[in-house]
Amino acid sequence: MEISALPTLEAHLLTALTTPPTEVRRLFHGRGRCWLGLEQITVDWLQGQVLVSLFKEPDADFMAALTDLLARLTQTDVWQASGAQCLLLQHRDRQGSPMDVVWGQSSDYQDVIESGLTYKLDLGRNQNNGLFLDMRYGRDWVREHAAGKRVLNLFAYTCGFSVAAIAGGAEFVVNLDMAKAALSRGRDNHHLNGHDLKKVSFLGHELFKSWGKVRKMGPYDLIIIDPPSFQKGSFALTKDYQKILRRLPELLTAEGVVLACVNDPSLTSQFLIDGMASEAPDMVFTQRLDNPPEFNEIEPEGGLKALVFERRS
């Protein structure tokens, strides 16, 4: 990280906050490597709380300069008019990903709106707050294609896809994730949107030990696969993704659809296309979803890859 690049960040934030978003949005995406010297910084607008995240611990001089920038930002007319209530700085490279309150008063929980749907975020408790903003178009796509369908949401986390599917008229959604606390937040998210929980199932299980139960609740018209790159003791992306793909034929309906995702910058879309061709050859690749424009990437394959496959006999 370079001190000389900080004026670029300041100018970007002043421009973004001049017309603040009406919904949750990323304001600055240094992780896309489009701004030299700012590759380890992101800034998110969380309905009035502004979250600055550092993905690598900077040296003392950079931290001092960044702190001065943020303090100066909160004194501007643009900031005062934006409706911002709090400025947070998260150190994701430190143990426990601690959060500093730079300005204002933080709330541990924050309800945010995305595409008209409400989600509850946890701030300062975990490394991730409960909603991956780069997946917005993926959730929108699910909402648009879920009407009347039975949906399986693997690695469901806080059930963002499930909320979108029910909002889109899904008949039933099965959410599976070994993190029961995340599924509990997912239940809250459905409640926030007034959804009928009789249409939603929450399975707090480890996937590879639960195929029988998952299969029994199917078959599914739509399956969403959005795993972490690595989950200690349970999932390693390059080794285990194929194990999921080879199970698809027994889980899907005859005309089933799969949204398969990977967010490891070292893997390209071809990883999914080749894996599907090998393990589930009747699944045909039809499209890669766009990523939101605020997630600019110097190399398009370095960001989120969300690919749609359709079953064809």
Side-chain angles (χ1 to χ4, degrees), residues 70 74-75 79-80 84-88 100-106:
L70 296 177
T74 63
Q75 301 304 310
W79 178 271
Q80 298 297 328
Q85 304 160 3
C86 182
L87 178 59
L88 304 171
D100 298 331
V101 179
V102 177
W103 180 88
Q105 186 171 356
S106 174

Side-chain angles (χ1 to χ4, degrees), residues 64-123:
L66 176 62
T67 301
D68 288 345
L69 182 160
L70 296 177
R72 189 166 61 249
L73 177 67
T74 63
Q75 301 304 310
T76 63
D77 293 339
V78 168
W79 178 271
Q80 298 297 328
S82 71
Q85 304 160 3
C86 182
L87 178 59
L88 304 171
L89 179 61
Q90 184 181 30
H91 304 270
R92 292 176 63 100
D93 201 42
R94 293 182 186 176
Q95 183 68 31
S97 299
M99 192 100 72
D100 298 331
V101 179
V102 177
W103 180 88
Q105 186 171 356
S106 174
S107 173
D108 288 342
Y109 301 102
Q110 177 71 49
D111 290 351
V112 299
I113 298 173
E114 178 195 80
S115 300
L117 299 174
T118 304
Y119 302 88
K120 183 179 290 294
L121 305 187
D122 291 335
L123 300 179

Side-chain angles (χ1 to χ4, degrees), residues 37 69 75 106 113 116 122-123 152 166-167 214 225 242 260 263 301:
L69 182 160
Q75 301 304 310
S106 174
I113 298 173
D122 291 335
L123 300 179
L152 174 61
I166 293 297
V214 171
I225 312 169
Q242 288 79 2
N263 201 6
E301 287 290 334

